[in-house]
Amino acid sequence: VDTSGVSLDDLMAQMKAM
Amino acid sequence: MVDEATKKSLTCIPVLKTKAGPRDKDLWVQRLKEEYQALIQYVQNNKGADNDWFRLESNKEGTRWFGKCWYIHNLLKYEFDIEFDIPVTYPATAPEIALPELDGKTAKMYRGGKICLTDHFKPLWARNVPKFGIAHAMALGLGPWLAVEIPDMIEKGVISYKEKT
């Protein structure tokens, strides 16, 4: 995984939007 | 032994790097980002393969996870709630995935609806700490469990299809 440049909040929102 | 389809889906899930549990403060935040990144990739893979079978989300701390999974049997789509907590000793200890609605309906479940995994799961998980995460637990644990147990429970009449209104 490459998590550079992305926040946890962004990732949580991305998962929720799927 | 892990079947070929499961092996294939496992190899397409990104591996994780940070060995951290829920009490490891900033390192846990990093681990959580990796968990979400791997889960997002896995769900995208599944959608691409026309096999979109689960959704998960967590509380803000990433210690409690919940969601839904689906299993299609004889053209009917069955839906189940998922929940689990992240153990304090994670990732050395795998999460115990539970389907609370099925509690008491199958012998392949512990109290509270926690699924019983095959003997292969624990050693495979242990060999792959910290690379395996929640996405891998879903692919290796819940996916194969659903494939075996849901058809069996349907055939036995223990669960029945619930039409969405």
Side-chain angles (χ1 to χ4, degrees):
Chain A
V1 287
D2 177 15
T3 60
S4 50
V6 64
S7 74
L8 180 56
D9 285 342
D10 287 343
L11 289 168
M12 285 180 166
Q14 196 180 338
M15 185 70 178
K16 217 164 184 171
M18 292 192 86
Chain B
M1 289 299 291
V2 180
D3 65 274
E4 286 308 310
T6 304
K7 261 190 213 171
K8 189 176 175 210
S9 68
L10 261 182
T11 54
C12 295
I13 304 171
V15 292
L16 285 68
K17 292 183 281 197
T18 304
K19 190 174 184 182
R23 292 182 179 170
D24 293 325
K25 301 189 173 80
D26 288 350
L27 277 181
W28 175 240
V29 174
Q30 177 56 32
R31 174 78 188 191
L32 268 182
K33 284 170 69 173
E34 294 171 15
E35 295 283 357
Y36 267 97
Q37 197 79 297
L39 277 164
I40 287 163
Q41 184 62 59
Y42 186 28
V43 171
Q44 284 171 344
N45 295 348
N46 292 337
K47 283 182 163 204
D50 199 24
N51 181 26
D52 188 15
W53 68 275
F54 75 92
R55 281 295 179 279
L56 278 177
E57 59 183 287
S58 73
N59 61 359
K60 214 163 36 73
E61 296 77 24
T63 53
R64 176 150 285 187
W65 289 74
F66 44 92
K68 294 200 183 285
C69 63
W70 303 282
Y71 190 83
I72 296 175
H73 184 72
N74 291 341
L75 303 177
L76 296 176
K77 190 175 186 181
Y78 294 77
E79 179 177 278
F80 306 99
D81 291 330
I82 308 171
E83 63 183 43
F84 57 90
D85 293 324
I86 300 296
V88 164
T89 47
Y90 186 81
T93 309
E96 290 185 297
I97 299 168
L99 303 179
E101 294 159 297
L102 300 181
D103 191 12
K105 297 189 185 223
T106 167
K108 304 292 180 59
M109 223 169 219
Y110 300 110
R111 198 154 33 138
K114 293 175 182 178
I115 63 174
C116 297
L117 297 173
T118 66
D119 293 337
H120 307 291
F121 181 87
K122 264 199 169 137
L124 191 53
W125 182 273
R127 277 204 302 275
N128 285 281
V129 171
K131 293 186 288 191
F132 277 8
I134 294 165
H136 301 86
M138 295 292 282
L140 251 185
L142 184 58
W145 188 94
L146 290 173
V148 172
E149 302 307 326
I150 299 304
D152 186 57
M153 283 192 271
I154 293 168
E155 296 303 313
K156 286 177 175 157
V158 172
I159 56 177
S160 50
Y161 177 67
K162 272 182 260 181
E163 199 155 340
K164 275 201 179 253
T165 51

